[in-house]
């Protein structure tokens, strides 16, 4: 019976591996950070992709046409302009596509179809009025998790911030601004008028004006959340003393 069971076991293992390869999957956060870095490094910062924020309309703010499942998800701007929500989603989309290619998987964001990704875009843009925007888009679909402790944020994490002036911004974390070791602001990559389009910028936290509201800083990491470390096993023969 043991000899007969062995080929069956091998068959199950082989087919199980194939199923896992094709099944919806999440990248490791570290790997996704690397793909995000490679994607953003490919964008010129010389004003090629100018910043544009229309007051109304359905313009997506993509620098290029994005395709999903053989269909057009959204067309790129004729002048290659972008806005912060469109650009950060574009980076997320392209980084996921790169990860799938590296893993030799079909390009698919979990089990989302085209309409599912369009709904993801709407959440990312905050169409429903949700101020957490991209944070909600990612966590609602278990594409990643919220970073509660700023000290644990890493380059490649996504962020939605709000200012006391009422304006907001979607960006990708590059680091923190510190004074005497304390975090006093954020350094990020996005598109904005102050950098003539795509580029890095720093903003400070504060209590009024154009400063960033520290309590409305939504940090989120894409990828598989690590399992909490198991407590060390105590040897039953050890005396507690």
């Amino acid at each position: 019976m043991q000899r007969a069971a062995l080929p069956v076991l091998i068959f199950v293992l082989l087919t199980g591996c194939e199923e896992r390869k094709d099944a919806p999957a999440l990248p490791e956060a570290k790997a996704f950070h690397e793909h995000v870095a490679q994607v953003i490094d490919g964008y010129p910062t010389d004003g090629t992709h100018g910043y544009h924020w229309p007051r109304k309309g359905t313009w997506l703010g993509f620098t290029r046409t994005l395709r999903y499942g053989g269909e057009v998800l959204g067309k790129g701007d004729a002048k290659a302009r972008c806005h912060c929500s469109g650009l950060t989603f574009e980076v997320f989309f392209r980084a996921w596509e790169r990860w799938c290619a590296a893993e030799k998987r079909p390009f698919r964001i979990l089990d989302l179809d085209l309409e599912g990704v369009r709904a993801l875009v709407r959440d990312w843009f905050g169409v429903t009025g949700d101020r957490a925007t991209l944070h909600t888009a990612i966590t609602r679909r278990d594409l990643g998790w919220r970073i509660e402790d700023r000290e644990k944020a890493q380059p490649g994490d996504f962020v939605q911030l709000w200012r006391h002036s009422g304006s907001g911004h979607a960006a990708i974390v590059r680091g923190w601004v510190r004074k005497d070791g304390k975090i006093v602001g954020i350094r990020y990559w996005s598109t904005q008028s102050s950098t003539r389009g795509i580029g890095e910028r720093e903003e400070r936290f504060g209590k009024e004006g154009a400063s960033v509201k520290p309590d409305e800083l939504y940090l989120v990491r894409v990828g598989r959340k690590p399992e909490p470390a198991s407590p060390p096993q105590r040897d039953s023969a050890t005396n507690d003393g």
Side-chain angles (χ1 to χ4, degrees), residues 16-56:
C17 289
E18 190 64 30
E19 289 173 358
R20 286 194 297 273
K21 181 179 178 181
D22 295 335
L26 278 171
E28 291 184 0
K30 181 180 178 181
F32 198 77
H33 279 161
E34 292 172 355
H35 288 297
V36 167
Q38 290 166 357
V39 169
I40 66 178
D41 284 347
Y43 286 93
T45 57
D46 58 0
T48 297
H49 300 297
Y51 172 76
H52 179 57
W53 181 255
R55 291 185 178 276
K56 57 183 178 179

Side-chain angles (χ1 to χ4, degrees), residues 126-177:
V127 171
T128 61
D130 188 322
R131 291 173 69 83
T133 66
L134 55 80
H135 166 274
T136 297
I138 291 168
T139 57
R140 176 174 289 170
R141 294 162 179 84
D142 293 325
L143 291 163
W145 74 97
R146 181 171 184 174
I147 304 299
E148 300 284 354
D149 183 353
R150 292 180 209 154
E151 292 285 358
K152 295 182 179 179
Q154 299 173 4
D157 290 336
F158 291 80
V159 60
Q160 170 68 44
L161 61 85
W162 292 94
R163 307 180 183 95
H164 289 276
S165 63
S167 65
H169 205 34
I172 296 171
V173 175
R174 299 296 273 173
W176 295 111
V177 180

Side-chain angles (χ1 to χ4, degrees), residues 37-165:
Q38 290 166 357
V39 169
I40 66 178
D41 284 347
Y43 286 93
T45 57
D46 58 0
T48 297
H49 300 297
Y51 172 76
H52 179 57
W53 181 255
R55 291 185 178 276
K56 57 183 178 179
T58 58
W59 184 65
L60 293 172
F62 297 157
T63 69
R64 65 199 68 199
T65 297
L66 302 182
R67 292 179 172 82
Y68 187 76
E71 301 289 336
V72 173
L73 173 66
K75 292 184 177 181
D77 181 62
K79 297 180 181 179
R81 300 170 299 176
C82 53
H83 56 54
C84 61
S85 297
L87 180 63
T88 51
F89 178 81
E90 184 177 309
V91 170
F92 161 82
F93 186 89
R94 294 182 62 205
W96 197 288
E97 188 173 26
R98 285 179 60 94
W99 174 74
C100 288
E103 294 292 312
K104 296 180 171 55
R105 291 177 172 272
F107 174 37
R108 193 171 180 86
I109 300 173
L110 294 187
D111 59 353
L112 298 180
D113 59 11
L114 181 62
E115 290 306 314
V117 177
R118 284 175 174 159
L120 172 64
V121 173
R122 290 193 292 271
D123 282 348
W124 196 287
F125 285 21
V127 171
T128 61
D130 188 322
R131 291 173 69 83
T133 66
L134 55 80
H135 166 274
T136 297
I138 291 168
T139 57
R140 176 174 289 170
R141 294 162 179 84
D142 293 325
L143 291 163
W145 74 97
R146 181 171 184 174
I147 304 299
E148 300 284 354
D149 183 353
R150 292 180 209 154
E151 292 285 358
K152 295 182 179 179
Q154 299 173 4
D157 290 336
F158 291 80
V159 60
Q160 170 68 44
L161 61 85
W162 292 94
R163 307 180 183 95
H164 289 276
S165 63

Side-chain angles (χ1 to χ4, degrees), residues 149-223:
D149 183 353
R150 292 180 209 154
E151 292 285 358
K152 295 182 179 179
Q154 299 173 4
D157 290 336
F158 291 80
V159 60
Q160 170 68 44
L161 61 85
W162 292 94
R163 307 180 183 95
H164 289 276
S165 63
S167 65
H169 205 34
I172 296 171
V173 175
R174 299 296 273 173
W176 295 111
V177 180
R178 295 178 183 270
K179 182 177 180 180
D180 298 327
K182 182 181 178 181
I183 294 175
V184 295
I186 184 171
R187 180 163 53 88
Y188 59 72
W189 180 97
S190 189
T191 178
Q192 46 275 321
S193 57
S194 61
T195 55
R196 295 174 50 242
I198 295 174
E200 289 193 15
R201 188 185 180 204
E202 291 183 357
E203 290 199 60
R204 300 297 179 103
F205 300 146
K207 297 181 179 180
E208 60 184 2
S211 61
V212 174
K213 299 173 73 173
D215 60 337
E216 283 202 83
L217 196 72
Y218 300 97
L219 295 158
V220 62
R221 181 168 301 161
V222 175

